[in-house]
């Protein structure tokens, strides 16, 4: 389990699996100036619905606005801020690292320590697949850096609520608003 | 029933109770146009520019209380709809826009008159569709009209590739809409309504801020009942005007940047604000941190994203204004607040709201007041944006709901001409006065041809100061009087211009001739135009500087000087 810094919030959304949905969501974030540090999307357990996981930077007001503006999109079915829930957060990464016959064994041992898999072996490189929280991936990449990491590819975080409840089963709480808003810029 | 895509579109429009649409044809949308003769019940009004088709649909929707429909072809036709769609989005107006698109196989290949219409309009529509199969059209239309007219209304665009319009498919109109992600809340939370009623009962200095939501929800009666029962003075936002009769003793007028001064003072002193169907926009609040410093806030709006967006809310109520106000009327106690009501009456007397600077010339305020008298306050008034709009908002004196049609959120100059077309088509039983500025009028005056063709009896009152008056005013008040690009020295003779279209017209520069001219124009069987040569230096007062506070309000030409931090 990951301890998120208070200014980062994990939000999940269930969305219609239709063309343009990602553009609508990304466009809304950009237009309203919300800062997403992470976005991942994939099919859900229900045909025709996808799940998105966002990590959003901001205070309570920003998170509430993000949640409500997301929910306002017609193709967004459910939204929930699961930051304060007990959640499992994972990310997957592929790391391509340079090897020589001398370093190969050592690198594979490092991967093994992280429960990472070697998924491709070439004479001068390895691809290591790791899944874990962000910190674990950062730590592995850091350990591999002295051997020269040629490429990393990361999926971004996915999150799921622990226990029996479905992730994102809550609608945004519409009647609990009591937030102060920052002064908006002056429009002449 | 096997029909072409174009026939399916027409069948869908009929089932959605569409009687008229505004548009202009072009290549990609032609299959739809060539099908229209088979559907005489669908009236099409040909405009001169697609932007005006969109604004006409907007004006129609506001005047009729129905969904307005506009049609354009692909490429430039569609991009010309951008402004009216953004306008309808900002002002929550139900519009369905149909655009032609290049054939499916050509999409993405930069074909002639191709543009990414759904991409461009994504942030300025409530939702949009690219129809890729004729068989999907019935579901798309059913959803589009449902989305446009329910919840917080807004524009929906349907992009129609030419070969989809030609494709044959089975037509069956769905009975129900099934949208998992769209279920607007109508009735407010009863616990919140009870809390709100308690706040109202306990308040010493409450005011209602009534917005467009009151008119959209048809809640004018409920608003009046609540105001009367709990003795709540009612301030109407720019778009809320006509939702509460200006002749009612509890009517206060407009707040904010150009609202009557007493309203900003009332908000400043209030201990409770009840926002109904409004969004605490920056023109209303000025600087948020000093807005209504002593007030608790009850915010009633159907759009949850508006609640808590700009101001701190004590009691949020998400719901339809009519449902929530009806429930509140039942919950609140009958209360008298003579002290507060008297105090506000006194404030009104102390800040009379019609300061004038050039008594020897024709004053725009007088034109508006004379218009009110001549029409007994019963006309539908349509305006664009700028000084003329504010003069009309301040001085016409509206008594009937939905008789005020203006571009609020987006502030679209030129709205007054095409929106009046929509209003005139929707309400042939009402006098339609388009109050225009000389700047905005010249942006959309090409539609005079449409007005003549359709024999629409729209009366134009141009408040002509040969300039972009509001910008000139800002230059004078806040930019040291440095006038840049605001003088219109080459204006046409608007009387001759109207006459070139066969429209009756007259010029008025003498304040004693205003009433007579209005009477003459009203008597004309058809459109008419009055070119009022008004005092060019007249400013709109009060003027609360953008982002300012009530204490920084400039009440009149002899009042407070512009604050130094802005000049």
């Amino acid at each position: 389990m990951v301890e998120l810094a208070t200014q980062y919030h994990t939000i999940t959304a269930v969305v219609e699996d239709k063309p343009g949905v990602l553009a609508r969501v990304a466009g809304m974030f950009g237009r309203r100036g919300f800062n997403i540090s992470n976005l991942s999307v994939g099919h859900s357990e229900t045909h025709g619905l996808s799940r998105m996981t966002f990590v959003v930077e901001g205070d309570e007001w920003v998170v509430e606005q993000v949640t409500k503006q997301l929910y306002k999109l017609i193709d967004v079915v459910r939204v929930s801020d699961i930051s304060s829930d007990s959640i499992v957060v994972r990310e997957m990464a592929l790391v391509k690292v340079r090897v020589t016959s001398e370093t190969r064994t050592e690198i594979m041992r490092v991967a093994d320590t992280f429960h990472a898999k070697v998924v491709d072996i070439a004479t001068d490189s390895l691809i290591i697949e790791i899944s874990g929280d962000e910190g674990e991936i950062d730590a592995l990449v850091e350990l591999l850096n002295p051997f020269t990491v040629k490429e990393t590819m990361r999926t971004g975080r996915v999150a799921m609520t622990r226990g029996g409840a479905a992730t994102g089963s809550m609608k945004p709480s519409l009647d609990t608003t009591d937030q102060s808003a920052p002064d908006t810029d002056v429009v002449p | 029933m096997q029909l072409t895509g174009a026939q399916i579109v027409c069948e869908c429009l009929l089932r959605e109770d569409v009687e008229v649409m505004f548009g202009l044809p072009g290549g990609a949308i032609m299959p739809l146009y060539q099908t229209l003769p088979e559907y005489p019940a669908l009236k099409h009004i040909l405009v001169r520019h697609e932007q005006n088709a969109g604004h006409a649909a907007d004006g129609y929707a506001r005047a009729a209380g129905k969904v307005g429909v506009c049609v354009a072809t692909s490429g430039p036709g569609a991009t010309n709809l951008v402004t009216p769609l953004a306008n309808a989005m900002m002002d929550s107006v139900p519009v369905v826009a149909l655009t032609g698109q290049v054939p499916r196989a050509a999409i993405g290949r930069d074909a002639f008159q191709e543009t990414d219409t759904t991409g461009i309009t994504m942030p300025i529509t409530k939702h949009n569709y690219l129809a890729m199969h004729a068989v999907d059209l019935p579901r798309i239309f059913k959803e589009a009209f449902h989305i446009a007219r329910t919840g917080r209304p807004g524009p929906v665009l349907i992009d129609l590739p030419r070969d989809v319009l030609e494709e044959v498919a089975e037509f069956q109109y769905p009975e129900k809409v099934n949208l998992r992600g769209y279920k607007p809340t109508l009735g407010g939370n009863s616990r919140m309504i009870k809390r709100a009623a308690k706040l109202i009962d306990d308040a010493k200095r409450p005011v209602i801020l009534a917005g467009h939501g009151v008119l959209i929800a048809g809640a004018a009666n409920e608003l009046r009942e609540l105001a009367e029962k709990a003795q709540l003075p009612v301030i109407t936002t720019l778009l809320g005007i006509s939702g509460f009769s200006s002749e009612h003793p509890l009517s206060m007028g407009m707040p904010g940047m150009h609202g009557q001064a007493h309203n900003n003072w009332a908000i400043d002193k209030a201990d409770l604000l009840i926002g109904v169907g409004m969004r605490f926009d920056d023109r209303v609040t000025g600087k948020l941190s000093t807005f209504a410093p002593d007030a608790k806030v009850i915010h009633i709006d159907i759009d949850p994203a508006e609640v808590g967006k700009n101001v701190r809310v004590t009691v949020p109520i998400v719901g339809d204004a009519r449902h929530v106000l009806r429930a509140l009327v039942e919950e609140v106690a009958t209360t008298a607040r003579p002290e507060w009501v008297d105090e506000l009456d006194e404030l009104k007397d102390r800040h009379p709201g019609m300061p004038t600077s050039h008594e020897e010339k024709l004053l725009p305020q007088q034109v508006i007041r004379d218009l009110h008298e001549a029409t007994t306050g019963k006309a539908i008034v349509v305006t664009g944006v700028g000084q003329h709009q504010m003069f009309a908002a301040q001085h016409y004196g509206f008594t009937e709901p939905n008789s005020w049609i203006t571009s609020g959120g987006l502030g679209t100059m030129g709205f007054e001409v095409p929106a009046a077309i929509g209003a005139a088509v929707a309400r042939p039983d009402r006098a339609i006065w388009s109050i225009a500025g000389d700047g905005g009028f010249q942006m959309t005056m090409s539609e005079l041809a449409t007005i003549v063709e359709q024999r629409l009896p729209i009366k134009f009152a141009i408040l002509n100061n040969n300039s972009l008056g509001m910008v000139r005013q800002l230059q004078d008040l806040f930019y040291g009087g440095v006038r840049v690009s605001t003088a219109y020295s080459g204006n046409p003779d608007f009387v001759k211009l109207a006459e070139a279209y066969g429209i009756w017209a007259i010029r008025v520069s003498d304040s004693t001739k205003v009433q007579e001219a209005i009477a003459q124009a009203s008597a004309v069987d058809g459109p008419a135009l009055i070119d009022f040569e008004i005092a060019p230096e007249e400013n709109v007062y009060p003027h609360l500087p953008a982002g300012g506070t009530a204490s920084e309000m400039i009440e009149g030409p002899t009042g407070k000087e512009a604050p130094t931090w802005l000049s």
Side-chain angles (χ1 to χ4, degrees):
Chain A
M1 203 165 89
V2 180
E3 286 294 321
L4 288 170
T6 49
Q7 68 267 37
Y8 288 94
H9 294 258
T10 305
I11 293 172
T12 66
V14 176
V15 304
E16 295 283 350
D17 185 7
K18 284 183 186 164
V21 173
L22 187 58
R24 287 179 205 281
V25 169
M28 187 281 288
F29 274 97
R31 179 164 65 92
R32 295 196 180 267
F34 298 138
N35 214 345
I36 17 176
S37 57
N38 178 88
L39 185 149
S40 58
V41 55
H43 295 296
S44 74
E45 70 288 352
T46 311
H47 179 73
L49 291 179
S50 294
R51 256 208 177 82
M52 288 184 175
T53 307
F54 312 90
V55 178
V56 178
E57 198 182 335
D59 56 19
E60 288 297 322
W61 178 85
V62 168
V63 172
E64 179 173 320
Q65 268 295 303
V66 166
T67 311
K68 286 175 164 180
Q69 295 292 349
L70 270 174
Y71 188 60
K72 202 165 152 173
L73 299 172
I74 308 288
D75 287 338
V76 173
V77 179
R78 283 198 299 271
V79 187
S80 18
D81 178 1
I82 57 171
S83 311
S84 55
D85 297 2
S86 175
I87 52 175
V88 177
V89 180
R90 286 291 180 273
E91 181 172 355
M92 202 264 268
L94 296 173
V95 184
K96 187 181 281 179
V97 59
R98 184 151 72 198
V99 297
T100 62
S101 49
E102 291 83 48
T103 59
R104 183 176 289 121
T105 328
E106 193 185 346
I107 289 172
M108 288 173 78
R109 221 176 14 241
V110 170
D112 206 40
T113 317
F114 280 83
H115 303 292
K117 278 196 295 189
V118 174
V119 291
D120 181 68
I121 300 182
T123 51
D124 59 347
S125 69
L126 287 181
I127 297 177
I128 297 169
E129 175 197 312
I130 177 171
S131 101
D133 67 46
E134 221 178 352
E136 284 175 75
I137 295 171
D138 289 345
L140 174 68
V141 172
E142 201 173 309
L143 278 175
L144 294 176
N145 262 333
F147 304 101
T148 310
V149 171
K150 299 168 78 159
E151 227 177 291
T152 60
M153 195 85 75
R154 298 172 72 145
T155 58
R157 292 183 238 184
V158 292
M160 189 175 272
T161 305
R162 291 177 187 272
T167 303
S169 56
M170 308 254 295
K171 283 197 171 184
S173 44
L174 304 181
D175 279 340
T176 54
T177 320
D178 184 3
Q179 309 291 346
S180 55
D183 261 340
T184 47
D185 286 335
V186 172
V187 191
Chain B
M1 188 167 32
Q2 294 278 310
L3 296 175
T4 66
Q7 288 171 321
I8 291 174
V9 169
C10 294
E11 295 285 344
C12 294
L13 292 174
L14 287 175
R15 277 162 183 75
E16 290 299 333
D17 198 22
V18 174
E19 292 166 10
V20 61
M21 42 195 180
F22 306 87
L24 196 146
I29 195 72
M30 276 189 70
L32 177 60
Y33 273 86
Q34 299 312 112
T35 306
L36 288 181
E38 300 168 34
Y39 294 88
L42 287 173
K43 187 176 181 195
H44 178 269
I45 291 182
L46 175 64
V47 295
R48 291 299 187 272
H49 187 290
E50 291 91 347
Q51 180 188 346
N52 301 326
H55 290 316
D58 182 323
Y60 175 88
R62 298 195 211 201
K66 289 175 65 177
V67 179
V69 178
C70 58
V71 193
T73 194
S74 63
T79 56
N80 280 343
L81 287 181
V82 165
T83 302
L85 288 171
N87 193 80
M89 185 71 175
M90 287 290 260
D91 287 353
S92 313
V93 182
V95 167
V96 168
L98 310 180
T99 48
Q101 183 55 278
V102 299
R104 284 168 290 189
I107 291 177
R109 291 165 181 254
D110 304 314
F112 175 66
Q113 290 193 332
E114 183 193 356
T115 190
D116 176 11
T117 304
T118 47
I120 289 170
T121 58
M122 212 171 258
I124 50 166
T125 52
K126 188 171 171 185
H127 197 55
N128 62 20
Y129 295 89
L130 170 58
M132 287 300 275
H133 305 282
V135 72
D136 295 335
L137 289 169
R139 173 188 58 80
I140 289 174
F141 272 77
K142 183 82 184 175
E143 289 179 4
F145 277 83
H146 176 70
I147 291 168
R149 71 160 75 93
T150 56
R152 178 180 181 177
V156 179
L157 179 139
I158 306 171
D159 203 20
L160 301 160
R162 200 182 70 206
D163 58 336
V164 170
L165 290 172
E166 288 162 343
E167 186 178 54
V168 174
E170 176 68 20
F171 172 71
Q172 198 182 7
Y173 206 57
E175 303 231 318
K176 278 165 69 177
V177 174
N178 180 23
L179 289 163
R180 295 183 271 207
Y182 179 72
K183 297 198 165 54
T185 314
L186 281 184
N189 179 309
S190 56
R191 196 167 46 88
M192 290 294 161
I193 289 170
K194 284 200 165 66
R195 276 180 59 190
K198 174 91 172 53
L199 278 185
I200 293 171
D201 292 346
D202 293 347
K204 297 274 181 293
R205 301 183 303 281
V207 288
I208 292 177
L209 290 170
H212 199 192
V214 169
L215 290 160
I216 294 168
N221 286 337
E222 286 75 7
L223 174 66
R224 185 176 37 77
E225 283 177 48
L226 178 67
E228 287 173 354
K229 186 174 179 189
Q231 285 295 296
L232 304 167
V234 178
I235 296 174
T236 41
T237 69
L238 178 65
L239 286 182
I241 287 175
S242 88
F244 192 75
S245 172
S246 63
E247 288 168 6
H248 195 286
L250 287 166
S251 170
M252 296 279 290
M254 187 171 69
M257 182 173 272
H258 297 298
Q260 294 86 348
H262 60 259
N263 291 315
N264 291 331
W265 293 122
I267 292 169
D268 204 51
K269 297 190 86 169
D271 66 351
L272 178 66
L273 297 185
I274 306 147
V276 188
M278 51 83 70
R279 58 191 175 89
F280 292 100
D281 138 278
D282 60 275
R283 301 282 112 152
V284 166
T285 63
K287 192 177 185 182
L288 281 170
S289 55
T290 54
F291 174 71
D294 301 327
K296 293 179 174 168
V297 176
I298 299 167
H299 193 180
I300 302 161
D301 201 281
I302 200 159
D303 180 357
E306 289 300 346
V307 180
K309 188 179 82 176
N310 289 341
V311 300
R312 178 187 286 273
V313 174
T314 321
V315 178
I317 305 177
V318 174
D320 169 88
R322 193 158 57 86
H323 286 75
V324 175
L325 289 177
R326 170 57 54 209
L328 267 179
V329 170
E330 309 303 325
E331 286 290 336
V332 297
T334 304
T335 313
R337 310 174 202 273
E339 278 178 30
W340 176 234
V341 173
D342 288 351
E343 191 180 338
L344 292 187
D345 282 342
E346 222 172 278
L347 266 179
K348 279 188 209 175
D349 293 339
R350 245 192 300 152
H351 303 273
M354 194 185 166
T356 54
S357 51
H358 306 277
E359 282 83 358
E360 73 282 5
K361 290 187 185 149
L362 178 56
L363 292 172
Q365 298 94 328
Q366 188 213 325
V367 173
I368 304 292
R369 289 181 174 214
D370 284 351
L371 194 59
H372 168 91
E373 234 168 81
T375 55
T376 60
K378 298 279 189 277
I380 292 182
V381 173
V382 187
T383 81
V385 171
Q387 288 184 319
H388 73 277
Q389 175 192 34
M390 291 299 134
F391 289 131
Q394 291 177 342
H395 298 286
Y396 183 77
F398 293 85
T399 55
E400 288 185 18
N402 300 316
S403 55
W404 166 245
I405 295 174
T406 194
S407 170
L410 194 68
T412 311
M413 284 175 65
F415 180 76
E416 59 267 51
V417 181
I421 293 178
V425 170
R427 297 301 301 266
D429 56 318
R430 297 280 294 270
I432 311 289
W433 276 88
S434 170
I435 299 175
D438 55 297
F441 186 76
Q442 289 180 80
M443 288 187 171
T444 49
M445 64 188 185
S446 52
E447 297 309 323
L448 291 179
T450 308
I451 290 164
V452 170
E453 272 169 11
Q454 301 294 333
R455 303 186 48 77
L456 298 172
I458 299 167
K459 317 298 179 186
F460 289 96
I462 302 181
L463 301 186
N464 185 357
N465 55 12
N466 291 300
S467 67
L468 295 165
M470 187 58 93
V471 184
R472 195 269 307 146
Q473 172 171 340
L474 291 167
Q475 290 170 340
D476 286 0
L477 291 179
F478 306 122
Y479 289 88
V482 180
R483 296 185 179 181
V484 185
S485 297
T486 45
Y488 272 10
S489 57
N491 270 353
D493 178 329
F494 289 111
V495 173
K496 281 188 182 160
L497 180 91
E499 285 167 358
Y501 284 96
I503 293 174
W504 182 92
I506 191 171
R507 178 169 299 110
V508 177
S509 49
D510 179 344
S511 60
T512 62
K513 299 279 164 55
V514 174
Q515 300 248 19
E516 189 192 335
I518 294 171
Q520 282 178 289
S522 300
V524 171
D525 179 22
L529 182 149
I530 310 174
D531 180 17
F532 288 105
E533 288 189 324
I534 58 163
E537 307 281 309
E538 190 62 17
N539 283 347
V540 177
Y541 291 111
H543 194 136
L544 200 158
T549 64
S551 60
E552 290 162 333
M553 183 164 41
I554 306 164
E555 288 197 37
T558 54
K560 274 178 220 155
E561 294 298 316
T564 47
W565 59 271
L566 261 172
S567 52

